[in-house]
């Protein structure tokens, strides 16, 4: 079997879902023409009436998804860029997240909102952002952010089957960059589970999305110098897999958390908090975080953009410090 | 009135196709009165310190009951708003359930004490769970209607709100999408003249919410919201034509908020005394009663029987509900996610 890109994994999974369940339909902007990233390429022709173009109005894209899911369909919404999802924040956080809680499960929402996130594409402030922390803060929304094509396939399938709202984050830099022979590759099909992708004794790196790939590249380089990293692919950002996080932290006693999101209030703080509270006595060094600096958005010019984003060089440098601690 | 607005029946006019039977008229009166008496009792419980919060629809019962009776209960979907006790009663909520809700009791079928009172929801009565965020429910109704249309199910989605909600983006996004896809949605706006303390002229520069519908190509009507029969005769044809595939319809019922915004508000701070005095004679329940007597719609002695029945029912329901179990601290947990598959 040929290698599959992240984008192809997403498209194939949507195709399979549309083929296997006639309650599934897609809605969002420009989807009938294939979507701006081509994630729905060819699907509107193949499934007439089940790939819907919507007006440019994110609150109603999410709200209509809620209503259709409530009715019993299996809607999959696309928000064209994660940067624009906040117009639907109210619908996701004030409504979808608590639909089941406030009815004691009598009413529930089998819905997925897919959206491309992340930087490194010269997208400037509104085509590059990391938005996960806002939504992962909200109990009741599952937030998934895979890194490899095989996990994109298994977790998107799981998200569609899940009877709860799932925010499915697709790192746009990886869409065409990351390819994988998916046959036989590890594929997590349980939302809420992280995976230890690489094992080493010297320190543990936690990452997701593009930063997982940068972390693996850094780990490879460090291995050449005799520093062995454990690398955890978080996969689900809410609810966090506390068990795997603690196991991986305890395994090395040294923790480095990497994300593209800005530092303050980012998920790194939450992961550090879990480890500090529950595994403090297993730590041999202060927890380190590598994140974007606390300026509001990603800058446009390449010089500033690459300085803004963490990468394998910064990760490797921090890892060396931590290993030597 | 704009070109898209339809002719609205006057209260003195009974359209032949939408005549109400004597039983329906009696039910109409009973629902309106039950709604009012329940809310009066809730407010008493509030003043006694036994109900934490009341937000009422007093003055809007004719609009709510007239509209609710135009729906097929248990078939059509409803996304009402927090003042819509009258709609909920028509859709099957009992006086006991209303009292459980008012007291935040564990067995309140709307939210089991998890939400403030009057935040409705009932899976079996096809009422979507709702929050305090206004106008979000209009979009949910559009989503329901879209799904139903995809499945060729002949249902109508009823979404109601106050005129204050119509300033929010979700109102406009809901109308726009429903019109584009010609969805079976009834937008029912209960214009009671106030968004808490703000009068309509501070909320919008046009005289009628219904004027806004024409911008989206949606048919609309303005109806006297104090006249339950006129409301029914306006909403029912809209429901029927939406069910037949004619697309969405917006009805604005001109209402009056008799009480303050909620039990925590004192409307004497912002409403002139004369306004309240003038409107007292236009209480929709009183108007209905007068109409029954003047037009001999049904025997006037039935009115008294209905009234005494409602009084007994409300007193008994309140007494019963006060003795029902309260939630325990642990009842806040659970049901964050639905477990297992999607059924």
């Amino acid at each position: 079997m040929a290698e599959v890109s992240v984008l192809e994994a997403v498209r194939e999974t949507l195709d399979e879902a549309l083929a296997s369940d006639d309650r599934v339909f897609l809605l969002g902007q420009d989807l009938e023409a294939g979507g701006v990233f081509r994630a729905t390429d060819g699907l509107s022709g193949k499934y007439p009436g089940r790939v819907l173009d919507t007006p440019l109005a994110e609150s109603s894209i999410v709200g209509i998804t809620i209503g259709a899911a409530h009715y019993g369909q299996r809607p999959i919404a696309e928000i064209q860029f994660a940067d624009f999802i906040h117009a639907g924040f109210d619908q996701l956080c004030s409504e979808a997240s608590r639909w089941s809680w406030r009815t004691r499960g009598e009413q529930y929402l089998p819905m997925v909102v897919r959206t491309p996130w992340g930087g490194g594409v010269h997208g400037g402030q509104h085509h590059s952002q990391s938005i996960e922390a806002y939504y992962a803060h909200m109990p009741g929304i599952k937030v998934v952010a895979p890194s490899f094509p095989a996990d994109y396939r298994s977790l998107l399938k799981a998200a569609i089957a899940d009877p709860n709202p799932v925010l499915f984050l697709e790192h746009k830099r990886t869409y065409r960059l990351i390819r994988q022979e998916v046959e036989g590759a590890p594929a997590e099909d349980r939302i809420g589970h992280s995976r230890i992708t690489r094992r080493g004794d010297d320190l543990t790196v936690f990452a997701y999305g593009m930063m997982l790939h940068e972390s693996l590249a850094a780990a490879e380089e460090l291995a050449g110098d005799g520093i062995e990293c454990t690398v955890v692919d978080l996969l689900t950002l809410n609810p966090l897999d506390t068990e795997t996080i603690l196991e991986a932290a305890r395994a090395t006693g040294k923790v480095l958390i990497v994300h593209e999101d800005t530092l303050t209030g980012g998920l790194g703080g939450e992961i550090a908090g879990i480890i500090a509270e529950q595994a403090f006595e297993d730590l041999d060094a202060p927890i380190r975080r590598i994140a974007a600096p606390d300026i509001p958005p990603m800058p446009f010019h390449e010089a500033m953009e690459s300085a803004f984003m963490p990468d394998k060089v910064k990760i490797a440098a921090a890892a060396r410090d931590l290993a030597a601690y | 009135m704009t070109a898209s607005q339809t002719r609205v029946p006057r209260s003195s006019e009974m359209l032949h196709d939408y005549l109400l039977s004597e039983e329906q008229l009696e039910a109409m009166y009973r629902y309106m009165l039950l709604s009012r008496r329940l809310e009066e009792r809730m407010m008493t419980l509030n003043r006694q310190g036994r109900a934490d919060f009341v937000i009422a629809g007093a003055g809007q019962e004719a609009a709510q009951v007239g509209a609710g009776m135009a729906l097929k209960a248990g078939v059509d979907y409803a996304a009402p708003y927090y003042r819509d006790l009258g709609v909920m009663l028509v859709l099957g909520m009992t006086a006991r359930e209303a009292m459980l809700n008012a007291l935040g009791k564990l067995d309140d079928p709307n939210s089991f004490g998890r939400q403030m009172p009057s935040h409705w929801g009932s899976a079996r009565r096809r009422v979507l769970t709702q929050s305090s965020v206004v106008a979000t429910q209009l979009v949910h109704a559009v989503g329901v209607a879209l799904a139903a249309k995809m499945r060729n199910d002949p249902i109508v989605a009823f979404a109601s709100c106050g005129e204050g909600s119509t300033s929010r983006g979700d109102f406009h996004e809901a109308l726009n999408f429903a019109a584009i896809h010609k969805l079976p949605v009834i937008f029912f706006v209960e214009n009671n003249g106030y968004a808490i303390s703000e009068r309509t002229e501070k909320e919008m520069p046009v005289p009628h919410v219904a004027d806004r519908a024409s911008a989206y190509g949606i048919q609309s009507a303005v109806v006297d919201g104090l006249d339950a029969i006129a409301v029914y005769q306006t909403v029912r044809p809209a429901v029927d034509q939406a069910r037949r595939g004619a697309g969405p319809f917006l009805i604005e019922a001109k209402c009056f908020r008799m009480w303050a915004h909620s039990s925590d508000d004192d409307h004497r701070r912002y409403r002139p005394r004369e306004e309240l005095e003038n409107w007292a004679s236009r209480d929709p329940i009183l108007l209905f009663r007068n109409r029954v007597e003047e037009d001999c719609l049904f025997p006037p002695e039935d009115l008294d029987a209905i009234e005494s029945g409602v009084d007994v029912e409300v007193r008994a329901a309140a007494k019963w509900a006060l003795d029902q179990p309260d939630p325990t601290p642990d009842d806040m947990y659970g049901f964050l996610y639905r477990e297992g598959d999607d059924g």
Side-chain angles (χ1 to χ4, degrees):
Chain A
M1 200 175 180
E3 286 191 338
V4 170
S5 69
V6 166
L7 187 65
E8 286 159 353
V10 169
R11 188 192 303 130
E12 287 171 11
T13 308
L14 294 175
D15 192 345
E16 284 166 20
L18 285 159
S20 64
D21 185 345
D22 62 12
R23 298 172 303 177
V24 171
F25 73 97
L26 314 182
L27 69 163
Q29 294 163 235
D30 303 302
L31 297 195
E32 291 182 35
V36 295
F37 288 100
R38 319 299 305 157
T40 58
D41 204 13
L43 298 181
S44 66
K46 198 167 170 185
Y47 304 99
R50 294 170 64 200
V51 180
L52 266 63
D53 276 352
T54 64
L56 197 172
E58 291 83 0
S59 184
S60 57
I61 293 173
V62 178
I64 287 162
T65 303
I66 289 172
H70 175 93
Y71 192 79
Q73 297 292 85
R74 297 293 176 267
I76 305 171
E78 179 183 299
I79 299 293
Q80 198 160 73
F81 285 87
D83 310 68
F84 305 122
I85 197 173
H86 305 312
F89 188 94
D90 203 17
Q91 286 285 1
L92 273 171
C93 293
S94 304
E95 302 289 355
S97 72
R98 52 204 64 182
W99 208 261
S100 169
W101 181 85
R102 73 192 187 203
T103 62
R104 286 177 67 101
E106 279 191 7
Q107 303 188 26
Y108 59 97
L109 300 174
M111 59 179 270
V112 179
V113 177
R114 300 173 38 243
T115 191
W117 69 290
V121 296
H122 314 306
Q125 63 166 335
H126 285 133
H127 298 81
S128 305
Q129 288 174 96
S130 300
I131 53 94
E132 65 276 16
Y134 300 110
Y135 298 91
H137 175 70
M138 181 55 63
I141 302 177
K142 299 183 180 183
V143 180
V144 178
S147 307
F148 281 104
D151 291 314
Y152 270 92
R153 293 209 309 183
S154 53
L155 284 169
L156 182 52
K157 195 174 171 188
I160 297 165
D162 199 293
N164 299 287
V166 180
L167 179 59
F168 192 84
L169 301 176
E170 301 167 3
H171 198 291
K172 68 175 83 69
R173 172 94 172 100
T174 69
Y175 263 154
R176 293 181 173 82
L177 181 71
I178 303 298
R179 305 181 68 81
Q180 183 187 31
E181 173 60 66
V182 290
E183 203 64 43
E188 181 56 65
D189 60 4
R190 299 164 301 174
I191 292 172
H193 287 258
S194 300
R195 183 171 55 237
I196 296 173
T197 301
R198 180 185 177 109
R199 289 188 186 269
D201 294 334
D202 295 317
L203 75 152
T204 301
V205 183
F206 294 95
Y208 51 97
M210 187 63 204
M211 288 303 114
L212 189 274
H213 298 291
E214 294 290 330
S215 298
L216 286 173
E220 194 62 34
E221 183 189 312
L222 292 164
D225 299 339
I227 298 171
E228 293 296 340
C229 298
T230 288
V231 179
V232 179
D233 188 349
L234 285 168
L235 295 170
T236 295
L237 307 182
N238 187 40
L240 285 169
D241 181 358
T242 305
E243 200 178 319
T244 302
I245 289 170
L246 290 171
E247 181 201 329
R250 289 188 175 116
T252 68
K254 293 180 177 178
V255 171
L256 176 62
I257 305 159
V258 185
H259 57 61
E260 227 178 286
D261 194 6
T262 48
L263 183 72
T264 302
L267 272 172
E270 188 57 36
I271 294 164
I274 289 168
I275 295 168
E277 267 188 343
Q278 299 185 54
F280 179 75
E281 290 175 359
D282 297 296
L283 293 180
D284 296 323
I287 297 169
R288 284 283 308 266
R289 288 179 293 166
I290 296 184
D294 282 334
I295 55 174
M298 189 163 301
F300 169 69
H301 190 279
E302 204 277 335
M304 292 186 286
E305 183 193 51
S306 57
F308 179 90
M309 285 184 75
D311 58 18
K312 66 177 180 182
V313 176
K314 295 172 192 169
I315 296 165
R320 283 180 212 280
D321 285 352
L322 201 51
Y325 184 88
Chain B
M1 201 170 272
T2 59
S4 71
Q5 287 171 27
T6 56
R7 178 173 161 280
V8 175
R10 292 195 313 277
S11 59
S12 59
E13 198 178 4
M14 292 284 265
L15 296 185
H16 184 72
D17 288 347
Y18 295 102
L19 284 175
L20 286 152
S21 69
E22 193 173 309
E23 289 73 24
Q24 284 175 305
L25 288 164
E26 290 193 5
M28 196 170 246
Y29 186 65
R30 187 182 165 281
Y31 284 129
M32 288 196 291
L33 200 66
L34 182 59
S35 184
R36 177 72 59 82
R37 293 286 178 269
L38 281 167
E39 290 183 344
E40 287 169 349
R41 178 58 56 134
M42 289 168 191
M43 202 58 97
T44 302
L45 291 169
N46 174 262
R47 297 318 188 214
Q48 292 172 343
R50 294 197 279 185
D52 290 326
F53 180 75
V54 179
I55 191 154
Q60 299 173 212
E61 294 92 343
Q64 295 171 6
V65 171
M69 287 180 68
L71 303 173
K72 282 190 185 174
V75 173
D76 292 332
Y77 279 69
Y81 86 121
Y82 45 78
R83 296 198 192 282
D84 276 333
L85 176 59
V87 172
M88 291 302 295
L89 294 172
V90 174
L91 295 180
M93 192 165 76
T94 66
R96 281 186 167 192
E97 290 171 339
M99 279 298 171
L100 291 173
N101 175 258
L103 297 167
K105 292 288 187 176
L106 181 60
D107 296 329
D108 160 38
N110 294 281
S111 77
F112 311 90
R114 289 182 167 197
Q115 289 213 76
M116 294 172 90
S118 300
H119 291 58
W120 318 115
S122 169
R124 74 189 171 98
R125 294 183 181 123
R126 299 197 163 182
V127 176
L128 280 70
T129 172
Q130 68 205 257
S131 70
S132 311
V133 185
V134 301
T136 50
Q137 78 275 16
L138 307 178
V139 191
H140 304 155
V142 173
V144 163
L146 174 69
K149 188 177 180 184
M150 292 176 109
R151 290 198 192 177
N152 294 315
D153 293 342
I155 64 103
V156 167
F158 171 86
S160 61
C161 62
E163 88 291 346
S165 305
T166 68
S167 296
R168 288 198 101 221
D170 274 356
F171 169 80
H172 298 271
E173 293 189 23
L175 261 62
N176 191 37
F177 194 93
I180 290 168
H181 291 273
K182 239 177 148 184
L183 299 177
V185 186
I186 303 299
F187 297 102
F188 187 68
V189 181
E190 297 172 36
N191 184 345
N192 64 19
Y194 283 94
I196 303 189
S197 72
E198 289 188 26
R199 292 174 58 88
T200 319
E201 55 266 30
K202 287 186 177 176
E203 302 177 59
M204 57 190 199
V206 291
H208 308 295
V209 172
D211 294 340
R212 295 173 162 179
S214 60
Y216 300 101
I218 290 183
Q219 281 187 283
S220 65
V222 179
V223 64
D224 177 3
L226 305 178
D227 184 337
I229 297 169
V231 171
Y232 172 83
Q233 292 186 333
T234 306
V235 178
R236 181 63 200 275
V239 167
D240 288 353
Q241 74 170 49
R243 200 186 306 282
R244 287 195 302 267
F249 205 109
L250 184 146
I251 294 135
E252 176 181 10
K254 299 288 191 185
C255 298
F256 175 66
R257 198 184 81 201
M258 290 180 73
W259 299 352
H261 166 67
S262 73
S263 55
D264 293 342
D265 178 36
D266 179 357
H267 61 171
R268 291 172 302 185
R269 291 184 296 115
Y270 53 83
R271 292 175 94 168
R273 180 192 295 267
E274 313 81 68
E275 178 187 299
L276 293 163
E277 283 168 358
N278 291 343
W279 278 94
S281 63
R282 299 188 61 199
D283 180 334
I285 298 176
L286 187 67
L287 293 176
F288 190 91
R289 194 184 166 101
N290 294 343
R291 173 89 185 279
V292 168
E293 288 171 349
E294 283 162 22
D295 293 357
C296 302
L297 294 178
F298 55 86
E301 57 268 27
D302 290 4
L303 291 166
D304 299 328
I306 290 168
E307 284 179 26
S308 52
V310 164
D311 286 344
V312 169
E313 184 179 0
V314 169
R315 260 201 306 277
K319 189 168 183 298
W320 174 84
L322 282 163
D323 290 336
Q324 298 309 301
D326 290 308
T328 65
D330 280 349
D331 284 315
M332 81 169 105
Y333 298 107
F335 305 101
L336 176 61
Y337 298 106
R338 184 180 173 90
E339 301 297 331
D341 64 20
D342 59 17

